[in-house]
Amino acid sequence: MSRHIHRYDSSSRSARRPNRGLFGFGCVFITGLLSITAFLLLYVSGVLVPLVFGVLGVERVGDTRDLFDARAIRPTLAVVDPVTPPRQVVVDLGRLGQQTVNIESREYQIVTGAGAQTATATFSESALMAICRERSPLCRSGDGQFRNIDIDLRAGGAVVYADAFTGFGWQRAGIVLQVEPTTGTSFTVTGVDVLGTTYSPRSLPFGLGDTLGDLVVEIEREGNAILRDLAIQAGGDRYRLHSISVDDNYLTLNLRGR
């Protein structure tokens, strides 16, 4: 009766161990890569933004829609003895130059009073964007950090939306502006809107805070500088800003003759 002796081949087993280890490492690597990819896709799409911001302690100002109130709309200045203005008026935007406006367009409405005492100039969202595209390359094609600028008028203010580059993707966000309640001649930046919630700009993560923080400063400084210098020339008369009135559809400049 013969016996078969099975010898233990340590070399074959040891050769298999690295293969199993390599396979396990590959599974872990692929799982981690897929998880990171899924997280980034969810973040860019906006699904995880509120949760991530909450975990990171981003300062929340409030729901954007609740920050605007119809009671904040300043009354439109009464135009005494309105007269038919010329077909074209010149809007002086200070350092941005002058823009000739055809008031026969439905997007603009200019009303002046006899004696050059009062006037109103009303602009739709489309009209404001047309002026912005005419005067600023940022509104036309972006600059690598921002693109797809859009203006959404709200009661007593507006939200200026843009796609902001965070370093690894684009995030839609908006600068929340409100008419300064005391003078009514300037805008203040309330915060940054992301998916309907307004946050403090500098507390935003992933490079978004630095990117939008710079834009906030620029909009507040340059925008209010333009308003200080703003004037409208119509029929040989010159009007300067008295106050701003904004509703969901139109921005109205209340003007007095100077």
Side-chain angles (χ1 to χ4, degrees):
M1 183 175 181
S2 62
R3 290 185 177 182
H4 295 282
I5 299 175
H6 298 278
R7 298 182 179 275
Y8 176 74
D9 189 348
S10 60
S11 62
S12 62
R13 183 169 183 176
S14 62
R16 286 195 298 269
R17 283 179 179 172
N19 291 336
R20 291 179 181 178
L22 183 62
F23 177 76
F25 174 78
C27 290
V28 171
F29 176 78
I30 293 174
T31 301
L33 183 62
L34 290 175
S35 299
I36 293 173
T37 302
F39 175 84
L40 292 177
L41 289 174
L42 288 172
Y43 172 74
V44 172
S45 67
V47 175
L48 284 182
V49 169
L51 178 60
V52 172
F53 282 6
V55 171
L56 296 178
V58 179
E59 183 181 346
R60 184 178 182 274
V61 177
D63 292 337
T64 303
R65 64 181 180 181
D66 294 337
L67 298 176
F68 297 96
D69 191 335
R71 291 172 296 182
I73 301 176
R74 300 179 70 88
T76 302
L77 190 66
V79 177
V80 180
D81 297 330
V83 297
T84 302
R87 295 177 59 185
Q88 291 185 334
V89 300
V90 177
V91 179
D92 190 342
L93 299 173
R95 68 190 69 185
L96 291 184
Q98 296 182 339
Q99 178 79 26
T100 300
V101 174
N102 181 5
I103 63 173
E104 291 183 342
S105 169
R106 292 183 300 175
E107 307 299 332
Y108 305 91
Q109 184 178 4
I110 310 291
V111 178
T112 60
Q117 295 299 312
T118 57
T120 59
T122 302
F123 303 88
S124 67
E125 293 173 349
S126 298
L128 293 173
M129 282 303 305
I131 294 175
C132 188
R133 284 190 292 268
E134 179 73 22
R135 291 296 164 185
S136 172
L138 188 62
C139 290
R140 291 194 296 270
S141 57
D143 63 356
Q145 281 190 309
F146 302 100
R147 65 185 186 186
N148 299 328
I149 306 294
D150 191 27
I151 298 174
D152 181 14
L153 295 177
R154 305 286 185 95
V159 183
V160 180
Y161 287 104
D163 294 332
F165 188 67
T166 64
F168 58 84
W170 294 90
Q171 173 65 55
R172 191 69 171 169
I175 308 300
V176 180
L177 304 169
Q178 293 178 294
V179 177
E180 202 284 319
T182 304
T183 63
T185 58
S186 62
F187 285 99
T188 58
V189 176
T190 305
V192 174
D193 171 271
V194 180
L195 297 175
T197 299
T198 297
Y199 299 93
S200 175
R202 292 297 184 184
S203 65
L204 294 174
F206 307 119
L208 196 59
D210 293 335
T211 301
L212 289 175
D214 294 339
L215 182 62
V216 165
V217 172
E218 182 177 354
I219 285 180
E220 195 166 36
R221 181 183 63 244
E222 297 298 325
N224 287 327
I226 291 171
L227 290 174
R228 285 194 299 270
D229 297 336
L230 186 140
I232 288 182
Q233 301 175 35
D237 297 315
R238 186 176 179 86
Y239 300 85
R240 299 299 299 270
L241 182 65
H242 175 265
S243 63
I244 305 168
S245 178
V246 190
D247 60 27
D248 290 334
N249 300 305
Y250 296 100
L251 178 146
T252 301
L253 304 177
N254 300 304
L255 308 149
R256 289 192 180 278
R258 295 291 174 87

